[in-house]
Amino acid sequence: MNGPHDLGGQMGFGPVAPETDEPFFHADWEKRALGVTLCAGAMGHWNIDESRHARESLHPAVYYGSSYYEIWTRAVETLLKRHGFLSDAELAAEAALETGTPPRRVLKAADVPAVLARGGPCDRPVAAEPRFSVGQRVRARNMHPTGHTRLPRYVRGRTGVIEAVHGGFVLPDTNAHGQGENPERLYTVVFAGPELWGDGADPTLTVSVDAWESYLEPA
Amino acid sequence: MNGPHDLGGQMGFGPVAPETDEPFFHADWEKRALGVTLCAGAMGHWNIDESRHARESLHPAVYYGSSYYEIWTRAVETLLKRHGFLSDAELAAEAALETGTPPRRVLKAADVPAVLARGGPCDRPVAAEPRFSVGQRVRARNMHPTGHTRLPRYVRGRTGVIEAVHGGFVLPDTNAHGQGENPERLYTVVFAGPELWGDGADPTLTVSVDAWESYLEPA
Amino acid sequence: MSGHAHDHHDHHHDNHLDPMDARVRALETILTRKGLVDPAAIDAIVETYETKVGPRNGAAVVAKAWADPAYADWLKRDATAAIAELGFTGRQGEHMQAVFNTPDTHNLVVCTLCSCYPWSVLGLPPVWYKSPPYRSRAVIDPRGVLAEFGLVLDPQTKVRVWDSTAELRYLVIPMRPAGTESWSEERLAGLVTRDSMIGTGVATAPEAA
Amino acid sequence: MSGHAHDHHDHHHDNHLDPMDARVRALETILTRKGLVDPAAIDAIVETYETKVGPRNGAAVVAKAWADPAYADWLKRDATAAIAELGFTGRQGEHMQAVFNTPDTHNLVVCTLCSCYPWSVLGLPPVWYKSPPYRSRAVIDPRGVLAEFGLVLDPQTKVRVWDSTAELRYLVIPMRPAGTESWSEERLAGLVTRDSMIGTGVATAPEAA
């Protein structure tokens, strides 16, 4: 979706504000928000693509008016409700009122190190030969799906060069919507600054994205 | 600028909400906001392009979280401050504290009908022959200025057809920034839906924009 | 729109708590004290758009175009002059263009970049016209938008969207309803809704009027 | 950012009034009561990223790459394996790629679409990395962004921006500072800042360390 999250090239947000000696967290609730988000995800009822789509589906006023842990919190509430673990009545009452979906698993403290160290690899074997090869010129498709995608708007319709051909990876566009992993090959595609941003662009700039095969067409 | 105002093709704002028997105003302050904005503009110290740029320069969280009269109010405060008519101290004290810039003119009630009926035409003679002709294929430039522009992001880099060649009009890109009216010819350019939005687009759709000559290049 | 977005927006319609009320009042007070703004001029502006300049202007233009082929032709060639002939001129109507619906093509007007709207013939724009849902979707999903207004076009009908990116202001001339052949201009004008002149509606059928 | 934007945002740093505090507390309470979340697991997650997984991991990788050409070569060919060799694996580091700064090219990592970041070697991302100013501008005006970090590149230096749009996670290997020829890996690691591994900084010069 062309949502608020697709920020490449947008303007009007002001300067970057690096913090000296930035703390790990700026409030205790941020620690709990991180933990709740990871524990809820560890139940195994949704994947990272569905999580990302829940975040980018927040109203743009909310997305831009919220810190990132607030975005995470609002999104995990959405996911918990969608999958039957939480109700609006429970949130309003601040109490557990319903039985809800039984979880596939619950993350225990003792398992945290192993679970974090394992992560969630999303490479998958793909039998087909790559459609594109290193050095080939390709165009990022001018696509505007209403669902989740990972092709940012600023490269769509622009021409770049394949720099690396990777193996297969889970396709976010279907995986986010319960339509399967449909692994496709991934490519690193490099775009010249002026191709992306026009005549005034920094001529020394190149930008790469990692694009699934169906995001690309021969140039 | 690629600001929050450039909404064509963005997603995530929800359904349109038509109101039955919508009132002219939803609160009394909206009436005063309209009047203050028009009266302040009638002093003659800024033009409509500078006004629009003040609105689109609001932080995106504010722009998307505000009603349109709130956007107008925040922008007119910016303009009044920029041109020396108002200070933050005055806004904080809710009182007139400083003399400020003398206004070129002040709109009186008796003059309102004539001023509104006259409006502010922005057609200007342009001596040069048009660079493009009706039926010609043109490409909207892939430009990303940091200042004001009226070429929406969704047509940039896309190819359309000149449908009408108009006369000269004040160029917003310079006029918004006190860099002169620099009138250029205006063209109505029509784009096919699939050219703008890709293969899934409504094949019966065409969209036109009105584009100044320097926004276009031969396709 | 999610429940949280509603959390975020609802206060704009809650006049009792709206901080904009105090903010605009303070602004007007300061500017009045400084002699920059005349409150009576504000009253006159508000009165103009509440009582004088509104969609009845546009409806008169449309009705005349329906009733008088020569006028329709003039409107097609030089809308600014043809509309001025009826006395409708001025702010946000300085450069007008009339676009005519046909059995083949439905026209829809939007301003994706701000809130450009033909004030001189339609008055002040409605809230939805200025809001992100309409501005974002009219150019990519016009049929979806029209459905939210209860208007379902024939799939064969072409949709032409006019994005008001410059100072041209567009007035849609809806198709004249059947069964109105003998009607006066004044009676015809009663069929012309504001939405039909934006393109989010069509003219009212005589039996419904 | 305008004063009004500050109005809008400042409450996020005012912990006393922050409604998020109550919201997250309620959420954790409900989920705990329902047996879906174990508060001790949350504690363990927080402790992991406060004390175990952070930029010192990445600094060890960089220092080893500086000290050991064979390791640097392995890191270039298969960063995931080379980094796992040092014990750094897992969440948001499953598929790693190391990108090496050279006298000609400076690398910069961003995630324009969300907040993708190599947790296994850098820990949790800083607030600015996840925020719209950085995410929007890194791909269109990287030199302007770097200047806000106090880093002014030679105009001849090429800037290569890596937008983390998939599950590959990028670790920038900054250039080894001159005058460190005899240094141990451990001492070298002390020169490797977090920002130098994102590309918003360079390694600390020995005289400044």
Side-chain angles (χ1 to χ4, degrees):
Chain A
M1 71 180 292
N2 296 341
H5 66 296
D6 190 356
L7 278 164
Q10 286 299 107
M11 300 170 185
F13 293 99
V16 181
E19 268 181 282
T20 312
D21 297 326
E22 173 167 320
F24 290 111
F25 300 96
H26 290 79
D28 279 345
W29 70 261
E30 295 189 344
K31 302 179 188 180
R32 311 314 289 179
L34 168 72
V36 164
T37 300
L38 267 55
C39 288
M43 292 192 295
H45 291 255
W46 55 82
N47 56 55
I48 192 166
D49 298 308
E50 186 176 349
S51 288
R52 289 195 182 119
H53 190 56
R55 292 167 195 158
E56 67 204 28
S57 296
L58 290 169
H59 190 280
V62 172
Y63 192 94
Y64 295 139
S66 302
S67 71
Y68 216 78
Y69 282 118
E70 183 170 344
I71 289 171
W72 275 28
T73 301
R74 290 171 177 269
V76 82
E77 287 174 357
T78 300
L79 294 166
L80 287 162
K81 287 191 273 185
R82 180 184 300 161
H83 291 271
F85 295 104
L86 182 69
S87 70
D88 282 321
E90 288 177 318
L91 282 173
E94 300 192 7
L97 303 173
E98 296 154 33
T99 308
T101 308
R104 289 196 188 129
R105 44 186 176 273
V106 171
L107 180 60
K108 294 293 168 193
D111 298 325
V112 164
V115 164
L116 293 180
R118 192 165 59 238
C122 33
D123 52 336
R124 301 288 184 273
V126 167
E129 286 300 300
R131 185 176 177 203
F132 305 108
S133 53
V134 169
Q136 186 174 352
R137 286 169 58 80
V138 292
R139 190 179 303 106
R141 286 179 56 213
N142 181 32
M143 58 190 231
H144 297 266
T146 54
H148 184 62
T149 189
R150 295 288 291 181
L151 185 68
R153 201 170 168 187
Y154 73 90
V155 302
R156 296 183 198 161
R158 315 300 338 161
T159 297
V161 174
I162 301 278
E163 186 180 77
V165 179
H166 305 287
F169 281 84
V170 172
L171 182 68
D173 305 51
T174 51
N175 200 46
H177 300 286
Q179 295 162 357
E181 295 196 335
N182 294 296
E184 287 185 7
R185 260 180 209 285
L186 191 72
Y187 300 85
T188 299
V189 186
V190 186
F191 300 87
E195 169 69 9
L196 295 179
W197 308 115
D199 294 338
D202 183 343
T204 76
L205 171 64
T206 53
V207 179
S208 65
V209 302
D210 295 322
W212 277 262
E213 196 162 88
S214 60
Y215 294 179
L216 302 172
E217 57 195 16
Chain B
M1 70 181 293
N2 296 342
H5 66 296
D6 190 356
L7 279 163
Q10 286 299 107
M11 299 170 185
F13 292 99
V16 180
E19 267 182 283
T20 312
D21 298 325
E22 173 167 320
F24 290 111
F25 300 95
H26 290 79
D28 280 345
W29 70 262
E30 294 189 344
K31 302 179 187 180
R32 311 314 289 178
L34 169 71
V36 165
T37 300
L38 267 55
C39 288
M43 293 193 295
H45 291 256
W46 55 81
N47 56 55
I48 192 165
D49 298 308
E50 188 176 349
S51 288
R52 288 194 183 121
H53 190 56
R55 291 167 196 158
E56 68 204 29
S57 296
L58 290 169
H59 191 279
V62 173
Y63 191 94
Y64 295 139
S66 301
S67 70
Y68 216 78
Y69 283 118
E70 183 170 344
I71 290 171
W72 275 29
T73 302
R74 290 171 177 270
V76 80
E77 288 174 355
T78 299
L79 294 166
L80 287 161
K81 287 192 273 185
R82 180 184 301 161
H83 290 271
F85 295 104
L86 182 69
S87 70
D88 282 321
E90 288 177 319
L91 283 173
E94 300 191 8
L97 303 174
E98 296 153 32
T99 308
T101 308
R104 289 197 188 128
R105 44 188 177 273
V106 171
L107 180 60
K108 294 293 168 193
D111 298 325
V112 164
V115 164
L116 292 180
R118 192 165 59 238
C122 33
D123 51 335
R124 300 288 184 273
V126 166
E129 285 300 302
R131 184 175 178 206
F132 305 108
S133 53
V134 169
Q136 186 173 351
R137 285 169 59 79
V138 292
R139 189 179 303 106
R141 286 179 56 213
N142 182 30
M143 58 190 231
H144 297 266
T146 54
H148 184 62
T149 190
R150 295 288 290 182
L151 185 67
R153 201 170 168 188
Y154 74 90
V155 302
R156 296 183 198 162
R158 315 298 341 160
T159 297
V161 174
I162 301 278
E163 185 180 78
V165 179
H166 305 286
F169 282 83
V170 172
L171 182 69
D173 306 51
T174 52
N175 199 45
H177 299 287
Q179 294 161 358
E181 294 196 334
N182 295 298
E184 288 184 6
R185 264 180 205 284
L186 191 72
Y187 300 84
T188 300
V189 187
V190 186
F191 300 86
E195 168 69 9
L196 294 179
W197 309 115
D199 294 338
D202 184 343
T204 75
L205 171 64
T206 53
V207 179
S208 65
V209 302
D210 295 321
W212 277 262
E213 196 162 270
S214 60
Y215 293 178
L216 302 173
E217 57 195 17
Chain C
M1 193 182 290
S2 77
H4 299 315
H6 277 297
D7 293 350
H8 193 93
H9 285 286
D10 278 352
H11 72 87
H12 296 301
H13 297 293
D14 185 344
N15 301 333
H16 297 292
L17 298 174
D18 196 333
M20 287 307 295
D21 190 72
R23 185 169 187 157
V24 174
R25 196 189 307 269
L27 183 61
E28 183 182 342
T29 302
I30 298 168
L31 298 178
T32 302
R33 294 264 164 78
K34 297 181 89 160
L36 303 173
V37 156
D38 173 8
I42 298 181
D43 295 340
I45 290 166
V46 170
E47 194 201 349
T48 299
Y49 292 107
E50 282 191 327
T51 65
K52 294 185 186 128
V53 178
R56 291 302 96 211
N57 293 6
V61 173
V62 171
K64 190 169 184 67
W66 284 348
D68 178 349
Y71 184 78
D73 188 56
W74 187 18
L75 190 62
K76 207 169 276 186
R77 283 183 291 104
D78 186 353
T80 310
I83 291 168
E85 174 78 4
L86 302 193
F88 311 136
T89 64
R91 189 183 173 85
Q92 291 299 314
E94 296 90 342
H95 313 287
M96 291 295 307
Q97 186 165 335
V99 296
F100 290 71
N101 285 349
T102 69
D104 287 339
T105 302
H106 182 85
N107 293 284
L108 180 68
V109 179
V110 64
C111 172
T112 61
L113 297 176
C114 53
S115 61
C116 296
Y117 188 77
W119 288 24
S120 60
V121 283
L122 298 186
L124 298 175
V127 169
W128 58 259
Y129 183 86
K130 302 182 281 186
S131 297
Y134 183 73
R135 290 166 52 196
S136 59
R137 289 173 51 219
V139 291
I140 189 172
D141 180 26
R143 286 177 196 270
V145 167
L146 294 180
E148 285 163 20
F149 285 86
L151 179 59
V152 178
L153 298 178
D154 185 299
Q156 305 301 315
T157 302
K158 293 182 188 130
V159 179
R160 167 63 183 274
V161 180
W162 302 78
D163 190 357
S164 314
T165 57
E167 301 306 330
L168 302 182
R169 295 290 166 268
Y170 294 97
L171 179 70
V172 175
I173 311 299
M175 283 192 289
R176 179 174 177 162
T180 60
E181 290 69 17
S182 60
W183 287 32
S184 68
E185 272 183 41
E186 193 179 7
R187 203 171 159 212
L188 285 169
L191 302 177
V192 184
T193 64
R194 180 197 63 194
D195 286 4
S196 74
M197 296 182 279
I198 301 172
T200 52
V202 293
T204 310
E207 57 275 21
Chain D
M1 195 181 289
S2 76
H4 299 316
H6 277 297
D7 292 350
H8 193 92
H9 285 287
D10 278 352
H11 71 87
H12 296 301
H13 297 293
D14 184 343
N15 301 334
H16 297 293
L17 297 173
D18 196 332
M20 287 306 295
D21 190 72
R23 184 168 188 158
V24 174
R25 195 189 308 268
L27 182 62
E28 183 182 341
T29 301
I30 298 167
L31 299 179
T32 302
R33 294 264 165 77
K34 297 182 88 160
L36 304 172
V37 156
D38 173 9
I42 297 181
D43 296 340
I45 290 167
V46 171
E47 194 199 349
T48 300
Y49 293 107
E50 282 190 327
T51 65
K52 296 186 185 124
V53 178
R56 290 303 94 209
N57 292 6
V61 172
V62 171
K64 190 168 185 67
W66 285 347
D68 178 350
Y71 184 78
D73 188 57
W74 187 17
L75 191 61
K76 207 170 277 184
R77 284 183 291 105
D78 186 353
T80 310
I83 291 168
E85 173 79 4
L86 302 193
F88 311 136
T89 64
R91 190 182 173 85
Q92 291 298 315
E94 296 91 341
H95 313 286
M96 290 296 306
Q97 186 163 337
V99 297
F100 289 72
N101 284 349
T102 68
D104 287 339
T105 301
H106 182 86
N107 293 284
L108 180 69
V109 178
V110 65
C111 171
T112 62
L113 298 176
C114 54
S115 61
C116 295
Y117 188 76
W119 288 22
S120 60
V121 282
L122 297 186
L124 299 174
V127 170
W128 58 258
Y129 183 87
K130 302 182 280 186
S131 298
Y134 183 74
R135 289 166 52 195
S136 59
R137 289 173 52 218
V139 291
I140 189 172
D141 180 26
R143 286 177 196 269
V145 167
L146 293 180
E148 285 162 20
F149 285 86
L151 179 58
V152 178
L153 298 178
D154 184 299
Q156 305 301 314
T157 302
K158 293 182 188 130
V159 179
R160 167 63 183 275
V161 180
W162 302 79
D163 189 356
S164 314
T165 56
E167 301 307 330
L168 302 182
R169 295 290 166 268
Y170 294 97
L171 178 69
V172 175
I173 311 299
M175 283 191 289
R176 178 174 178 161
T180 60
E181 290 70 16
S182 60
W183 287 33
S184 68
E185 273 182 41
E186 192 179 6
R187 201 171 162 210
L188 285 169
L191 302 177
V192 183
T193 64
R194 180 198 63 194
D195 286 5
S196 74
M197 295 182 279
I198 301 172
T200 53
V202 293
T204 311
E207 58 275 19

